[in-house]
Each structure stands twice: as C-alpha cells, then as structure tokens.
Amino acid sequence: MTDAARRAIAHLYPYSPMSTKPHLLVVEDEIKVAAALKKGLETQAYAVDVANDGREGKRLLGVNRYDLVILDVNLPFVSGLELAEYARSKNDRLPILMLTALDTTTDKVQGFDAGADDYLAKPFAFAELFARVKALLRRAVPAEPDPVLAFADLELDRLGKVARRQGLTIELTAREFALLEYFMRNAGRVLSRADIAEQVWDIGFDTGTNVIDVYVNYLRNKIDKPFATKLIHTAVGMGYVLKEK
C-alpha cells in the first residue's frame, strides 16, 4: 500500500489500526470538565472520544478499541466502578485511570478492586494527568506470559490468575495479584511504599494514604494467615519484604 493510500485511510478512519495516535476514552458527566480533558489530551497528540454518562461509555467500550480509559466514578446510569469492571472484562490489559473527587482510602480501594490502574483526585493539574497517562500507556505494551512464579511453598500462576500454597488455591483480586507478583519478582528485597506505589499502582507516592498498607494486609490474610510460616514481613521504617525466616 502506498503512503498516499495510508494517509487517505487515516483521514477517513482516524482510529483505524493504521493510526499512530493512542486512542483514549474519557467518561465524565460534567460537560465543561469533559471538554477541557478532551482539548488538553488532544494537545498531547492523543485521539479522544468523550462519553457524558456511564451508559454511553459502556456502548463505546463495546464497539471501539481503546488504548486507555479515563473514568469519573459518579456517573449517570452506569457508575464508574461498574464501567471499570466492564472494561476490564473486555480487555484485562486496558489501562484505566480513575479521575474523581472521591479520594478517601476506601474510595481508592474500591476503585482499584474494580480494575483501575491509577487514581487521580480532583482538582488536578494537567501536567500530572499527562504524566500519569504517559506512564500507563508505556506500561501497557503487551508482554509475553511469564511462567509460574515460585517462592518457598508459594506459587503464582499468571495465566490462571491464582496463587497456590501447599497445594491450596488462593483466589486474588487483580490488585492483590499484581502486588504479590511484584513481591515474588523481588523476593528478598525490601520494597518501600514508594517502590510499590510506582511499580504496582503507577502513582506518585502519597504519604497521606494507607492504601498500600491496606492491600499488604489483604494479601497477608490470604497467603500468610492460614499457614504456619509467614512470608511477607515488615521492615520497620523501610517497607515490606517477601522472605523466609
């Protein structure tokens, strides 16, 4: 196909696989905020679709392929949490950024449990939004499936999305799974909360949140509490480490 033909197709179908622009979906019910997001993101060379309610967002997710989704939480008809779960069911590698005024630890945990990769509270600076979008897109490059990870009597099946310890299957949420994978890939190394925030959540470390401690506790309750030997240990003043004593 000639370059002229490619340009003609890109003009008629700007979101075709031939387009080099990342295709983003913004779901935001505040019209002015949605318009500002679209304008700002387009200055960064992104192609942007906008939906002003969760129902329209779900429809667009069903018919288009997106490289990243930005969601408000409080949306008409279908909530942002429901929409995140739907988006994740369609594509488990699709980056999802929650953009909302709800910024308590409970709100963030609910968002991450629903499938969000990152969480940015309103009001926000566009420079930070752009940085987070770039980071999420950078990490979304498909990777070859890794083999089952193993440490001590613990196994992590990346294809089956489950953990096993002493032959027992342990069901994990998407966020718990990502956290345990990071621990297992760095067994024996003390991981600070900042390390975990950057590598598992793709967020700048916020000293005012205890989301990471909450999830470490969730993980301990599942992979440590039922067993005699504990694997996740606290390094006082430094962070956490996966190791055998």
Side-chain angles (χ1 to χ4, degrees):
M1 181 180 293
T2 66
D3 289 341
R6 290 179 187 276
R7 286 195 295 271
I9 291 174
H11 174 73
L12 292 171
Y13 305 101
Y15 305 138
S16 73
M18 294 182 184
S19 175
T20 58
K21 286 185 176 182
H23 190 188
L24 277 54
L25 174 63
V26 172
V27 189
E28 168 61 64
D29 63 326
E30 294 185 40
I31 305 299
K32 290 183 178 179
V33 174
L37 284 167
K38 178 177 174 65
K39 183 177 180 180
L41 289 164
E42 285 177 343
T43 67
Q44 303 298 301
Y46 300 125
V48 183
D49 288 349
V50 172
N52 295 125
D53 61 64
R55 185 166 58 197
E56 176 64 6
K58 187 173 183 179
R59 185 191 72 79
L60 289 173
L61 281 167
V63 298
N64 294 326
R65 177 196 173 278
Y66 292 102
D67 298 296
L68 182 141
V69 179
I70 299 175
L71 299 175
D72 194 359
V73 174
N74 289 328
L75 294 168
F77 307 120
V78 178
S79 76
L81 297 178
E82 293 177 75
L83 203 54
E85 291 176 346
Y86 175 75
R88 184 61 67 231
S89 73
K90 297 284 289 183
N91 179 357
D92 65 0
R93 301 190 69 86
L94 176 65
I96 299 173
L97 172 62
M98 288 285 191
L99 189 65
T100 175
L102 303 175
D103 63 350
T104 69
T105 296
T106 299
D107 293 324
K108 292 179 180 179
V109 168
Q110 288 178 339
F112 292 134
D113 280 348
D117 296 287
D118 200 353
Y119 204 109
L120 183 59
K122 298 177 182 176
F124 60 89
F126 270 92
E128 182 176 5
L129 172 66
F130 297 155
R132 294 188 186 215
V133 167
K134 288 179 182 178
L136 287 170
L137 289 171
R138 188 166 56 244
R139 291 197 51 186
V141 177
E144 291 296 320
D146 292 323
V148 173
L149 300 177
F151 178 80
D153 56 356
L154 176 65
E155 291 185 347
L156 190 68
D157 182 349
R158 293 195 74 257
L159 297 179
K161 298 297 182 184
V162 296
R164 300 184 186 89
R165 190 165 183 192
Q166 296 182 9
L168 299 177
T169 297
I170 303 168
E171 300 291 340
L172 301 171
T173 67
R175 189 58 52 183
E176 291 165 352
F177 188 92
L179 179 58
L180 181 56
E181 180 177 0
Y182 185 54
F183 272 126
M184 294 185 72
R185 290 191 182 280
N186 293 275
R189 174 189 164 200
V190 175
L191 303 175
S192 71
R193 290 170 180 81
D195 291 332
I196 296 169
E198 180 181 350
Q199 298 299 322
V200 180
W201 270 268
D202 277 330
I203 58 176
F205 182 53
D206 178 3
T207 56
T209 182
N210 65 339
V211 168
I212 292 170
D213 303 290
V214 169
Y215 271 90
V216 170
N217 189 53
Y218 286 167
L219 206 51
R220 280 173 160 163
N221 285 337
K222 291 187 176 183
I223 71 164
D224 271 351
K225 191 173 181 179
F227 304 94
T229 303
K230 309 308 176 188
L231 297 178
I232 299 177
H233 303 276
T234 301
V236 179
M238 294 184 287
Y240 299 99
V241 59
L242 182 74
K243 67 177 183 179
E244 288 185 280
K245 280 198 172 181

